[in-house]
């Protein structure tokens, strides 16, 4: 049963050929079997079985009928813990569901667990969780990527056919690359952020992580669309993303950027092989330039940390979560935040506060916003010559746990390819593109103009059909 895609499960449940409860029981057993991955923080066994039984009784006709789904722990779920993998929110249970949760529930999905993550979505390795690192199913000595590493590992290990993550600067795409699965970061505003606990409000987006592009397309079609509770939500009509599956890419122009130095040889080889496969499917390869790509990392880590310092100010121990009492109010604030936040979160809050402080706002934050505009303009010019831009998702395959944890700058540079689309607010996806000699997955990133998710899905679908990379599973799983 776990070999079935989400689409196959939903169609089977709707037709009465599959039992939602039996599907859920199969995945719960698998979750228990592979608990050592530490991919999940809270498993809602009783709630999932009760919901699955109700779906069987009502014979749900939803697009996700009876499909188990794992949810990143920064998406609010009514009645279930939502901690952002942080001690400061330990025990917090929201009284409401995020909009994306409401939408998957309305289509018959079965929330089965909350996924581990980097604390407050800050990290590229999932080692920053207050509840321990997630392990990569392909090699458990290696990182699964971050911050949605728990969701990506769960998808790769087939702990659920569908998972939801959030992407600020690559947090669904980079772990998808490391774990050999597919992930989509939608256009900014395409998916509601209501109920997503904020890291950087001008960058955060919710996106699907699944084993196949078809399942990602279906899940995106469910969660996309206008939400009046999100002031940044777009009212643009949602396209039929599944209609792009299997669509010919003959004549489609794929922009190829000259790669900067520092990529692993295996990544450059896989990138070339994926481009050859797309060319063989009829796509036209054209050279494009993104001259401000080299400034993306510095720009992102000014903008994102500045917004984080503002968003995380609410976690002070007064209204919810951890409270460490001091002799007065200021000491209580200080003790609570020192005890509740991990080192990486504290680092980013301090960097962001510094960038926004008097005398430095113009030198750092304002300048970063200007460079952000230049990056968006680079993409606009590039898309005059092409329809989709291709790059590696990450400059290297999954690194070992602990390998970069003592060098934050080296960790930040791992996001060099995923940050620019985020800064420009563009849709991007990562799809499997091969393997390193050590058997670690490598991803291809595709970026399109705003609201052109269909283009991305058609290209990823063509690559998935032409290769077996997406069909492979980790040894022992």
């Amino acid at each position: 049963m776990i070999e079935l895609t989400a689409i196959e499960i939903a169609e089977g449940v709707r037709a009465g050929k599959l039992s939602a409860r039996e599907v859920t029981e199969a995945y719960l057993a698998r979750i228990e079997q592979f608990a050592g991955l530490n991919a999940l923080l809270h498993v809602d066994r009783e709630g999932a079985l009760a919901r699955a039984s109700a779906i069987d009784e009502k014979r749900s006709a939803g697009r996700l009928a009876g499909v188990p789904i794992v949810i990143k722990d920064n998406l609010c779920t009514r009645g279930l813990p939502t901690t952002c993998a942080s001690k400061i929110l330990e025990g917090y249970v929201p009284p409401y569901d995020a909009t994306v949760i409401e939408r998957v529930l309305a289509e018959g999905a079965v929330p089965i667990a909350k996924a581990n993550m980097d604390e407050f979505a800050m990290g590229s390795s999932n080692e920053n969780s207050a509840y321990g690192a997630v392990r990569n199913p392909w090699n458990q000595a290696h990182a699964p990527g971050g911050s949605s590493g728990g969701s990506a590992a769960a998808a790769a290990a087939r702990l659920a056919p569908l998972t939801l993550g959030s992407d600020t600067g690559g947090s669904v795409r980079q772990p998808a690359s490391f774990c050999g699965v597919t992930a989509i970061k939608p256009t900014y505003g395409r998916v509601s952020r209501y109920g997503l606990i904020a890291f950087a409000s001008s960058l955060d987006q919710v996106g699907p992580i699944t084993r196949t592009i078809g399942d990602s397309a279906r899940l995106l079609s469910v969660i996309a669309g206008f939400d009046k509770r999100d002031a940044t939500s777009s009212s643009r009509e949602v396209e039929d993303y599944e209609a792009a599956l299997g669509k010919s890419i003959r004549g489609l122009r794929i922009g190829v950027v000259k790669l900067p130095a520092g990529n692993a040889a295996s990544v450059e080889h896989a990138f070339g092989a994926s481009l050859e496969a797309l060319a063989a499917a009829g796509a036209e390869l054209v050279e494009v330039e993104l001259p401000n790509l080299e400034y993306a990392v510095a720009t992102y880590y000014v903008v994102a940390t500045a917004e984080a310092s503002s968003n995380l100010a609410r976690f002070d121990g007064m209204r919810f979560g951890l409270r460490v009492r001091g002799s007065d109010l200021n000491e209580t604030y200080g003790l609570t935040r020192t005890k509740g936040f991990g080192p990486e979160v504290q680092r980013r809050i301090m960097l962001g506060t510094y960038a926004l402080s008097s005398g430095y706002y113009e030198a750092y934050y304002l300048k970063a916003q200007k460079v952000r505009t230049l990056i968006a303009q680079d993409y606009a010019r590039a898309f005059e010559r092409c329809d989709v831009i291709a790059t590696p998702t990450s400059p290297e395959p999954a690194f070992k746990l602990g390998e970069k944890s003592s060098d934050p700058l080296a960790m930040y540079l791992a996001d060099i390819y995923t940050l620019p689309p985020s800064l420009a607010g563009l849709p991007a996806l990562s799809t499997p593109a091969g393997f390193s000699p050590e058997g670690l997955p490598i991803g291809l990133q595709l970026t399109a103009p705003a609201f052109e998710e269909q283009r991305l899905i058609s290209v990823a679908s063509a690559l998935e059909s032409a290769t077996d990379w997406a069909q492979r599973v980790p040894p022992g799983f």
Side-chain angles (χ1 to χ4, degrees):
M1 202 169 292
I2 60 168
E3 293 82 9
L4 299 176
T5 66
I7 291 175
E8 291 169 340
I9 291 172
E11 291 175 352
V13 170
R14 285 196 307 233
K17 297 178 180 179
L18 289 176
S19 159
R21 185 179 178 94
E22 289 178 357
V23 171
T24 301
E25 287 174 341
Y27 278 102
L28 286 169
R30 191 165 178 83
I31 285 170
E32 186 175 346
Q33 180 183 1
F34 295 110
L37 290 174
N38 199 33
L40 307 176
L41 294 179
H42 177 80
V43 179
D44 184 27
R45 182 179 182 85
E46 292 184 5
L49 290 174
R51 179 164 177 78
S53 296
I55 289 169
D56 285 333
E57 290 174 9
K58 296 177 181 178
R59 189 65 63 82
S60 171
R63 287 176 285 176
L64 303 178
V67 182
I69 185 169
V70 162
I71 300 160
K72 188 174 179 180
D73 198 38
N74 60 349
L75 285 163
C76 288
T77 44
R78 182 170 54 189
L80 293 178
T82 302
T83 69
C84 287
S86 176
K87 290 294 185 183
I88 208 161
L89 278 176
E90 188 172 28
Y92 175 63
V93 178
Y96 69 100
D97 283 321
T99 295
V100 294
I101 305 305
E102 291 179 346
R103 290 178 176 175
V104 299
L105 289 173
E107 292 292 342
V110 180
I112 201 168
K114 302 297 291 287
N116 202 349
M117 57 182 281
D118 281 305
E119 183 182 7
F120 281 98
M122 298 183 190
S124 302
S125 66
N126 223 137
E127 295 173 280
N128 295 328
S129 169
Y131 304 99
V134 176
R135 298 187 176 276
N136 191 320
W138 290 90
N139 186 324
Q140 295 190 40
H142 289 247
S147 63
S148 304
S151 297
R158 294 183 291 180
L159 305 186
L162 297 177
T163 74
L164 279 174
S166 68
D167 192 306
T168 306
S171 288
V172 299
R173 291 163 286 156
Q174 187 248 23
S177 175
F178 280 14
C179 292
V181 292
T182 296
I184 302 176
K185 184 203 85 70
T187 305
Y188 185 78
R190 177 74 291 176
V191 175
S192 173
R193 291 186 298 110
Y194 179 78
L196 170 66
I197 297 175
F199 163 15
S201 301
S202 73
L203 295 160
D204 296 341
Q205 279 290 272
V206 180
I209 306 176
T210 68
R211 288 192 293 116
T212 69
I213 186 60
D215 285 352
S216 280
R218 176 159 294 192
L219 183 52
L220 179 61
S221 70
V222 168
I223 64 175
F226 177 69
D227 179 13
K228 65 181 181 180
R229 295 172 295 188
D230 177 1
T232 62
S233 178
S234 172
S235 59
R236 182 165 173 155
E237 185 178 353
V238 177
E239 295 177 316
D240 181 0
Y241 298 125
E242 289 184 70
L245 297 169
K247 185 177 180 181
S248 172
I249 60 169
R250 186 164 298 281
L252 189 88
R253 300 168 300 166
I254 297 180
V256 182
V257 180
K258 182 179 179 181
L259 301 182
N263 300 290
S266 59
V267 168
E268 296 204 355
H269 175 77
F271 181 58
S274 60
L275 292 179
E276 289 176 7
L278 292 172
E284 177 187 354
L285 305 182
V286 298
E287 291 186 5
V288 296
E289 293 184 354
L290 296 174
N292 291 292
L293 180 71
E294 61 181 304
Y295 306 116
V297 174
T299 300
Y300 173 84
Y301 280 100
V302 171
V303 174
T305 57
E307 295 185 13
S309 73
S310 176
N311 279 324
L312 271 64
R314 73 194 70 177
F315 302 108
D316 54 13
M318 294 298 107
R319 287 153 290 189
F320 44 75
L322 178 72
R323 178 185 297 177
V324 181
R325 295 189 179 275
S327 59
D328 57 26
L329 188 61
N330 284 335
E331 187 176 45
T332 297
Y333 284 158
L335 291 173
T336 297
R337 290 167 68 82
T338 299
K339 177 79 170 177
F341 290 136
E344 182 61 27
V345 174
Q346 292 185 34
R347 179 183 293 116
R348 297 196 190 194
I349 290 173
M350 292 173 69
L351 286 170
T353 302
Y354 180 82
L356 291 175
S357 62
S358 178
Y360 296 101
Y361 176 90
E362 292 82 3
Y364 294 102
Y365 185 73
L366 185 60
K367 188 175 291 185
Q369 292 289 17
K370 290 179 179 179
V371 177
R372 184 178 187 177
T373 300
L374 293 177
I375 290 171
Q377 291 172 349
D378 286 346
Y379 275 108
R381 283 189 290 269
F383 284 129
E384 292 175 0
R385 303 192 65 239
C386 68
D387 303 301
V388 171
I389 294 174
T391 67
T393 306
S394 172
E396 60 184 331
F399 45 81
K400 289 185 177 180
L401 290 166
E403 184 177 326
K404 297 180 185 291
S405 55
S406 62
D407 189 351
L409 292 180
M411 188 79 78
Y412 297 166
L413 289 171
D415 300 330
I416 186 171
Y417 294 119
T418 57
L419 295 177
S422 294
L423 289 166
L426 300 176
L429 66 73
S430 179
T431 190
F435 292 83
S436 73
E438 298 76 27
L440 294 170
I442 294 170
L444 173 73
Q445 178 177 253
L446 301 166
T447 305
F451 300 103
E452 293 292 346
E453 284 84 357
Q454 274 193 327
R455 288 189 202 174
L456 300 178
I457 292 167
S458 65
V459 178
S461 177
L463 187 62
E464 187 173 285
S465 298
T467 66
D468 70 344
W469 299 323
Q471 280 72 51
R472 299 187 195 181
V473 297
F477 286 88

